[in-house]
């Protein structure tokens, strides 16, 4: 298993190109199942999760071609096999996103239940409840969700119990081809949902309200092909900004959209960072030790759970004490023990972590437990005294494109140790 060897102590300086968003690309790729015409995607990040989605789409019978650097063409023409097997779904929970499109287009879908993952149980009850409201008959048996509809799905009213990103996306895709109007309420407002609505509308769907808490969709008979550029990754952007702040550096993120990470930028300013932003770039400069910050993770536009671990790492070396409440996932503090192995002083009580900042972390062998947790260990290692070895970095390869290359460009001393 690959590891990262990081020697801390270098302030990051320079420019970094932000990749297309993984969390946007996955539902966008699933949406290509809604039409028999090809969809051309640009700025698709080259990541393990994207490769898993490609594998899943191929296994369903779609043709997927790499048509250039970070460009993909997906064509789901002809008869597909609407079965997403356990072997693929267990690799990536977002595989559940094929459920809505398969059901809407073929009247049937069998998708393995994703099961829990390291950060919590993550049920899909809201996806199922929503599709039932559009007329689907759903049985959960032998570890699979088996959904069927007599003819087309029909428009309906779905009031989600909680704002679920994947649930909202699955229902948007299903409703796009349903007969009649669908109203989705209490939906997630994440920017990736807006990106999906942009794609669906470019395919001929009629989706309104994405980005607000209710989405109205007039179903259409068929959808067609189009071109789509995946939005920039706001979490990758935030991660490089945190790395710059912790190392007291000066980094500009290019090809990004700063307005999509306002809650993160506000907290970096509170930590003492100086930020400048333009339409598609953001620059952070930091010349002192950060001040500790406190926050709660909440659905967009509030502070994202996907940035919690990186900010916790920042608090470990900050001036003062920060309190972090994780309200989205039940078990998303696994990086705490690893950071504490590096000398951090973090105490967890239920869903709250209290981080008492210290002057300097010490290098230690640590282990990545999930995608964002692995980034928190990388940024911690960048400021630690000595050489940190991070094991199980396959987690980071799921969601950060060419991370060691990008960090090295900014001056970091990071090497991939291939075993
Ligand atoms: C997406 C993101 C993930 C991010 C998360 C929250 C992708 C591929 N992943 O995950 O990076 O951390 O949003 O911003 O976009 N829930 C239920 N029942 C359901 C659905 C969700 O109880 O049917 C719960 C989940 O267990 C979780 C919360 O709702 O506690 C939010 O989950 P959701 O928004 O669905 O996250 P994902 O779409 O899985």
């Amino acid at each position: 298993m690959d590891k990262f060897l990081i020697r801390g102590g270098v302030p990051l300086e320079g420019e970094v190109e932000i990749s297309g968003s993984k969390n946007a690309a996955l539902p966008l790729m699933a949406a290509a199942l809604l039409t028999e015409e090809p969809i051309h995607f640009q700025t698709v990040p080259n990541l393990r999760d994207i490769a898993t989605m490609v594998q899943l789409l191929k296994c369903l019978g779609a043709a997927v071609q790499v048509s250039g650097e970070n460009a993909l063409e997906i064509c789901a023409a002809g008869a597909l096999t609407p079965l997403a097997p356990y072997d693929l779904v267990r690799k990536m929970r977002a595989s559940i996103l094929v459920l809505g499109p398969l059901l809407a287009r073929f009247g049937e879908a069998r998708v393995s239940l994703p099961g829990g993952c390291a950060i919590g149980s993550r049920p899909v009850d809201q996806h199922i409840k929503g599709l039932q409201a559009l007329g689907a008959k759903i049985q959960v048996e032998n570890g699979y969700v088996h959904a069927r509809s007599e003819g087309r799905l029909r428009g309906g009213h779905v009031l989600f119990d909680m704002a679920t990103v994947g649930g909202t996306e699955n229902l948007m895709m299903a409703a796009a081809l349903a007969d009649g109007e669908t109203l989705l309420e209490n939906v997630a407002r994440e920017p990736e949902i807006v990106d999906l609505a942009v794609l669906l509308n470019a395919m001929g769907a009629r989706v309104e309200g994405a980005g607000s808490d209710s989405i109205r969709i007039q179903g259409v008979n068929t959808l067609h092909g189009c071109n789509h550029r995946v939005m920039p990754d706001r979490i990758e952007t935030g991660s490089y900004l945190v790395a710059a702040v912790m190392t007291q550096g000066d980094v500009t993120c290019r090809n990004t959209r700063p307005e999509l990470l306002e809650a993160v930028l506000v907290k970096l300013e509170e930590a003492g960072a100086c930020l400048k932003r333009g339409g598609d770039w953001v620059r952070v400069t930091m010349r002192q030790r950060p001040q500790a910050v406190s926050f709660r993770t909440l659905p967009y536009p509030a502070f994202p759970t996907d940035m919690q671990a990186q900010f916790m790492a920042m608090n470990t070396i900050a001036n003062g004490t920060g309190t972090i409440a994780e309200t989205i996932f039940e078990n998303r503090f696994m990086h705490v023990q690893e950071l504490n192995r590096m000398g951090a002083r973090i105490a967890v009580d239920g869903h709250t972590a209290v981080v008492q900042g210290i002057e300097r972390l010490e290098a230690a062998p640590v282990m990545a437990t999930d995608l964002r947790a692995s980034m928190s260990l990388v940024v911690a290692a960048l400021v630690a005294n000595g050489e940190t070895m991070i094991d199980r970095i396959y987690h980071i390869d799921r969601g950060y494109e060419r991370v060691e290359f990008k960090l090295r460009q900014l001056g970091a001393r990071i090497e991939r140790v291939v075993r």
Side-chain angles (χ1 to χ4, degrees), residues 51-99:
T52 305
M53 183 55 96
V54 167
Q55 222 184 332
L56 175 57
L57 294 173
K58 284 183 172 170
C59 162
L60 297 168
V64 184
Q65 280 189 338
V66 177
S67 47
E69 201 187 340
N70 298 111
L72 276 184
E73 181 191 302
I74 303 174
C75 184
L80 267 65
T81 315
L83 170 74
Y86 175 67
D87 266 0
L88 285 174
V89 178
R90 77 183 166 85
K91 281 197 200 165
M92 184 185 66
R93 291 184 41 86
S95 307
I96 192 73
L97 291 168
V98 300
L99 179 63

Side-chain angles (χ1 to χ4, degrees), residues 23 122-127 162 164-166 305-306 328-329:
N23 285 356
R122 300 181 81 174
V124 291
D125 56 303
Q126 300 299 306
H127 303 234
M162 83 268 294
T164 148
V165 175
T305 175
D306 286 350
I328 307 291
F329 291 109

Side-chain angles (χ1 to χ4, degrees), residues 115-139:
C117 69
I119 62 175
S121 63
R122 300 181 81 174
V124 291
D125 56 303
Q126 300 299 306
H127 303 234
I128 292 175
K129 186 182 102 166
L131 293 170
Q132 282 169 332
L134 301 197
K137 301 267 178 297
I138 300 191
Q139 284 170 310

